């Protein structure tokens, strides 16, 4: 009895310790990013609203400053006016500004309440410390020194500078190693030793495919003692269809991929999944990155060949879904405001994703930090305003509208165009039936009410049948979310970003700091999208290749050579290894912009294959591992963690599902059905295919820092909080996987518990248990069986279930080391 109590106590203590370790947050990591991310958030989300809605009455330029409250400077906001401070940094609930925005005590702005998402932005800004870079000067920049701006390191063409000579000539496997080793030796540091083979195989397999290695793959790698063993593994993984699912998901973070509009009226994007599949296929096919970018900006405008198939043309059109899948405010009643907001999202996404530029911050004024005048912003906006969007949604409409989507080429095209008309007519009939029903209710006429009910029923059935046909690809793909050229025109600058405050008309163009006389010219009859695509995806653009190789490096090593992966501007970080960054950028272009070749070079080196063991002396000198003296452990992303659970339980379905689960819910503004869909844990396909509805991200993913699908996210946050540990210990999903995992182990007959334990560790940790781990686990199984009682089969099953769940909760399971 004492022994049983002692074991239970030891298990309880282990859980407590695990929980304490789990919730420890790396404050230094968070602090390093807070200021820069906070400033970007302020410039994008807060300052424009203050300028449009508040400066008229609460700035130095106001004729009469209302309530002595100045909102055009940081000090003015904190000092407040006649009623006291406007904000309490860190506490939005105690901030008077929030009371006014929510129309609780005051009602500001007086013209009308701001949208809920804007109010939420202000609350988030205040709760995160109300970071505000403004000083007491006028809020608009006095001017930009473009020539000085061009001297910024990121705006200079990349060039190869050979690495310095190294002392240890035996250590480097390739040129990447030489750059890194030269820096380590200069700092008096030595690289860590090599990772063991099982650790390396697990690292490579998870990094390149997002799945753990199978026991057979572990055995095969152990048996291959040739010098090319690692190369064979890397080539196999790069050729796997799971490669595109893993690396395509990284790009979907950047593309702010989602399957609904978000914001106040959240309408499903029922064809967004085509863009998701395009991205996955592009990475699997190793589509050259420059072509990948051109297709997403202007796939519909790229030259075609005479032997090109309809499927190839459709593929490039679907690629432009990159521009249409962003969030949209479908309650906006002013068409010009809606169009400008959509174009703003497209501009911001293109610049952040492809150039790591925050050009979107120049909507209301010259950029506060980078050499980007407001005229550059509106030069780009003119390109997107000359583009017609076909997203399948429109303002004030509560469902996906096929008449506003693009018809794809193929045998179903003619019928699809007929369906557009039929669906549009059916939607009108349904609207008329609803109107008739309201009239019947108002007049309290039973006969009219019965007729209206019948009309509604018939209209709904007809509309459902037509929409179902529109979503059926049996005769070829029908619809997609794309763009096409509209009426080309230059766009007038908007003073303070206000849609009705017209300034001078700005010719369409690109970022001045990166253009010269050789940059593409935009003809008056063209939108400029094709020229923009060619300008971005060019060797002459100093940002494009640098930004992408930095993103690839970050996903492999946990931190980019430039830590601010989405900001290469003056507010961003400088590269820790500038010569290496330029070497990689030039190599990337020289090797045909091949992502697979670049990743292959990045992993087939000594640096990537190092141990993650922290040597005390090196750790004391470089605790953040900025010099890369070891491999830095990384927590599995949300999708990889869920996939690993299904992998261990043996229930993971690796085949791509057809379409999207979003097609299973009603084609209406999202409500409870979206929450039910997001909470559905029965899906067994890979997590990249889970429904991605704005405001309703599946809990399993959201809890482990899934990227916000409304934002460009080049680097996810990594939080360590108690609910994550509690989820692994208590959630029904994890408990079910532990049960299925245990049943999988027990169903294998003719093996001992020791062999089952080896198998369990291989499926979760990619290794066999160490002697002490094995002894303790087997001891636990014996004692747990005795505790459970109720027969040998029942006791054994329950013991294994609890052990499997303990393996899922282990730190080693959650991390790549």
């Amino acid at each position: 009895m004492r022994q049983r109590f002692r074991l239970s106590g030891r298990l309880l203590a282990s859980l407590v310790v695990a929980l304490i370790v789990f919730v420890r947050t790396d404050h230094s990591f968070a602090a390093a990013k807070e200021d820069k991310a906070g400033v970007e958030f302020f410039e994008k989300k807060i300052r424009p609203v203050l300028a449009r809605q508040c400066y008229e009455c609460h700035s130095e330029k106001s004729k009469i400053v209302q309530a002595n409250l100045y909102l055009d400077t940081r000090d003015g906001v904190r000092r407040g006016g006649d009623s006291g401070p406007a904000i309490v940094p860190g506490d939005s609930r105690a901030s008077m500004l929030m009371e006014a925005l929510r129309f609780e005590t005051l009602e500001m702005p007086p013209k009308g309440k701001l949208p809920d998402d804007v109010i939420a932005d202000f609350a988030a800004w205040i709760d995160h410390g109300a970071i505000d870079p403004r000083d007491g000067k006028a809020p608009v920049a006095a001017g930009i020194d473009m020539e000085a701006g061009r001297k910024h390191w990121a705006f200079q063409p990349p060039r190869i500078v050979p690495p310095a000579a190294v002392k240890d000539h035996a250590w480097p496997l390739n040129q990447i190693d030489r750059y890194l080793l030269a820096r380590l030796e200069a700092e008096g540091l030595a690289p860590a030793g090599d990772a063991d083979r099982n650790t390396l195989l697990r690292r490579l397999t998870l990094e390149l495919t997002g799945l753990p290695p199978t026991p057979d793959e572990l055995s095969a790698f152990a048996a291959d003692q040739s010098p090319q063993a690692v190369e064979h593994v890397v080539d196999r993984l790069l050729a796997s269809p799971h490669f595109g699912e893993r690396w395509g998901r990284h790009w979907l973070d950047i593309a702010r991929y989602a399957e609904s509009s978000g914001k106040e009226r959240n309408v499903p994007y029922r064809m967004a999944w085509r863009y998701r599949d395009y991205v996955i296929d592009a990475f699997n096919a190793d589509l050259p990155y420059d072509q990948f970018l051109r297709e997403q900006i202007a796939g519909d405008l790229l030259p075609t060949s005479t032997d090109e198939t309809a499927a190839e043309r459709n593929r490039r059109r679907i690629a432009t879904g990159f521009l249409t899948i962003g969030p949209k405010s479908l309650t906006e009643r002013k068409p010009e405001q809606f169009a400008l907001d959509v174009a703003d999202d497209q501009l911001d996404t293109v610049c952040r994703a492809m150039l790591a530029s925050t050009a979107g911050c120049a909507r209301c004024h010259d950029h506060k930090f980078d050499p980007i005048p407001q005229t550059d912003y509106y030069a780009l906006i003119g390109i997107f305003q000359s583009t017609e969007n076909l997203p399948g949604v429109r303002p004030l409409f509560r469902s996906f509208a096929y008449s506003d989507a693009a018809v794809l080429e193929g045998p179903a095209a003619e019928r699809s165009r007929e369906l557009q008309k039929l669906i549009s007519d059916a939607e009108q009939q349904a609207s008329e039936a609803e109107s008739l029903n309201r009239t019947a209710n108002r007049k309290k006429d039973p006969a009219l009410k019965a007729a209206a009910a019948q009309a509604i029923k018939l209209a709904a059935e007809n509309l459902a049948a037509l929409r179902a046909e529109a979503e059926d690809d049996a005769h070829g793909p029908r619809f997609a979310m794309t763009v096409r050229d509209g009426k080309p025109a230059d766009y007038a600058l908007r003073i303070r970003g206000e849609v009705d405050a017209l300034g001078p008309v700005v010719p369409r163009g690109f970022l001045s700091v990166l253009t010269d006389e050789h940059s593409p010219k935009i003809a008056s009859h063209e939108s400029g999208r094709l020229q923009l695509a060619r300008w971005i995806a060019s060797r002459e653009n100093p940002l494009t290749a640098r930004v992408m190789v930095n993103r690839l490096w970050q996903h492999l090593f946990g931190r980019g050579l430039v830590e601010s992966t989405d900001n290469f501007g003056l507010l961003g970080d400088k590269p820790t290894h500038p010569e290496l960054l330029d070497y990689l950028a030039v190599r990337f272009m020289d090797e045909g912009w091949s992502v697979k070749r670049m990743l292959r070079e990045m992993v087939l080196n000594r640096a990537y294959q190092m141990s993650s063991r922290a040597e005390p002396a090196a750790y004391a000198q470089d605790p953040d591992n900025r010099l890369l003296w070891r491999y830095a452990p990384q927590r599995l992303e949300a999708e990889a963690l869920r996939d690993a659970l299904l992998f261990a339980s043996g229930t993971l379905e690796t085949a791509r599902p057809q379409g999207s689960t979003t097609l299973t819910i009603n084609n209406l503004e999202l409500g409870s059905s979206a929450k039910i869909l997001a909470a559905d844990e029965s899906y067994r396909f890979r997590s990249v295919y889970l429904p991605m509805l704005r405001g309703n991200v599946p809990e399993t993913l959201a809890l482990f820092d899934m990227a916000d699908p409304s934002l460009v996210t080049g680097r996810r946050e990594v939080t360590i909080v108690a609910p994550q540990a509690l989820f692994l210990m208590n959630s029904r999903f994890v408990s079910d996987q532990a049960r299925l995992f245990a049943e999988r182990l027990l169903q294998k007959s003719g093996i001992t518990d020791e062999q089952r334990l080896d198998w369990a560790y291989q499926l979760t940790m990619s290794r066999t248990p160490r002697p002490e781990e094995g002894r303790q686990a087997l001891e636990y199984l014996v004692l747990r069986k005795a505790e459970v009682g109720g027969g040998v089969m029942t006791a054994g099953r329950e013991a294994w279930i609890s052990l499997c769940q303990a393996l899922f909760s282990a730190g080693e399971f959650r991390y790549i080391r």
Side-chain angles (χ1 to χ4, degrees), residues 29-30 33 37 635 704-706 713 715-719:
F29 170 77
K33 300 181 66 180
R635 196 189 70 192
F704 288 91
D705 306 308
M706 174 72 194
T713 306
R715 182 180 185 180
R716 294 186 185 182
E717 297 290 337
V718 180
T719 62

Side-chain angles (χ1 to χ4, degrees), residues 17 88 301 384-385 441 480 491 503 513 651 672 704 743 761 793:
V17 170
V88 178
L301 301 176
F384 296 110
Q385 287 283 28
N441 288 333
Y491 197 73
V513 73
T651 61
S672 59
F704 288 91
E743 291 172 355
Y761 265 76
M793 293 297 293

Side-chain angles (χ1 to χ4, degrees), residues 22 253 635-642 645 697-708 716-729 731 733-734 808-810 813-815:
F22 206 104
D253 279 6
R635 196 189 70 192
L636 292 177
E637 296 98 334
E639 297 91 335
L641 180 59
R642 175 184 173 274
L645 290 166
V697 173
E699 180 192 15
T700 313
L701 305 186
L703 195 58
F704 288 91
D705 306 308
M706 174 72 194
D708 184 338
R716 294 186 185 182
E717 297 290 337
V718 180
T719 62
I720 307 174
V721 293
Q724 295 167 348
L726 296 173
F727 175 83
L728 292 172
M729 290 191 289
S731 79
F733 174 74
V734 177
F808 287 160
S809 297
F813 176 72
R814 300 191 310 273
Y815 277 80

